[in-house]
Every structure is written in structure tokens, then in C-alpha cells.
Amino acid sequence: MTRVVGWFLAGAASLLLVATATIKLSGTPAVSEQLSGALGYPERVIPWLAAAQLLGVGLYLYPRTAVLGAVWLTAYLGGATASLVRVGEIFALPVVVGVIVWGALILRDPRLHSVMPWRRRTLS
């Protein structure tokens, strides 16, 4: 059951990330204004940001590279958080998505349970 919940959460986070990457690739003026104007990114890097986001999602959804994908997405979302903090915007969304990414991965991959700090300790 935990794997099902993990895959559901992973799918939800991935859908959100793919949707925002698609919006970046759409080239709409509102997106360009937000990323270029408010956040200060040059317009020429917006497609690269979307590509980095999509690559992270692809790595994350493929089980053999899921941990690498989670690390990649954590770095991406950390950059998004830093950008929002720098301009004084609310930064909760990328933080929450990052927590969901890792929580979902822990739920869907039992191998990660052994390295979590809350693992059960056996008395010898």
C-alpha cells in the first residue's frame, strides 16, 4: 500500500513539474515577464530551465535513476526557492514539492528505509 501512495504522490509532483515546464516552453508573455522581469532570468535561459526540469522528472520516474532524479529535482527546486527568497516572494511551493518528491520516493522504494534517520534500531 505504501508503494501505491508513493507512486501516487510521485505522479502528482511530476505532473505539477511537467505542467510548469510546459508553461515555460509555451513562451507566453506572462511567463517571460515573471521569469525575466521579476526573477531576473534572461529570456534565453527559460527553455533551459524547462529542459532541466523535464530531465529531472524523467530521471525521477525511472526506477533505476529515481534517487538521481530526486537529487536533481531537489537542486532545481532549491534554486527556485532561492530565486523567490531573493525577490521577497512566497517560497513555500518549491519547498513543499521537494518534500513530496522525497517522501514519495521513500514510500515507493523500500531500499531507502534502511538509510532514513528514523529507522528502527535493534537492541543487541
Side-chain angles (χ1 to χ4, degrees):
M1 183 62 170
T2 58
R3 281 188 181 184
V4 172
V5 172
W7 276 107
F8 175 79
L9 290 172
S14 297
L15 282 175
L16 177 66
L17 290 164
V18 167
T20 58
T22 304
I23 291 169
K24 286 179 184 76
L25 291 172
S26 72
T28 59
V31 173
S32 293
E33 173 57 33
Q34 176 67 22
L35 291 171
S36 297
L39 296 177
Y41 288 103
E43 282 193 44
R44 63 182 162 72
V45 304
I46 295 173
W48 292 104
L49 292 172
Q53 203 170 340
L54 292 171
L55 178 61
V57 170
L59 290 169
Y60 178 65
L61 291 177
Y62 184 60
R64 292 188 73 168
T65 59
V67 173
L68 176 61
V71 171
W72 184 287
L73 290 173
T74 302
Y76 183 87
L77 293 166
T81 301
S83 295
L84 292 170
V85 167
R86 184 179 63 79
V87 298
E89 293 286 329
I90 297 172
F91 58 92
L93 184 60
V95 172
V96 169
V97 173
V99 169
I100 291 171
V101 162
W102 277 99
L105 184 59
I106 291 165
L107 289 173
R108 72 183 221 221
D109 190 345
R111 296 173 301 165
L112 294 176
H113 297 181
S114 65
V115 296
M116 291 296 103
W118 57 79
R119 67 179 185 253
R120 293 179 131 175
R121 299 189 190 276
T122 58
L123 298 174
S124 302

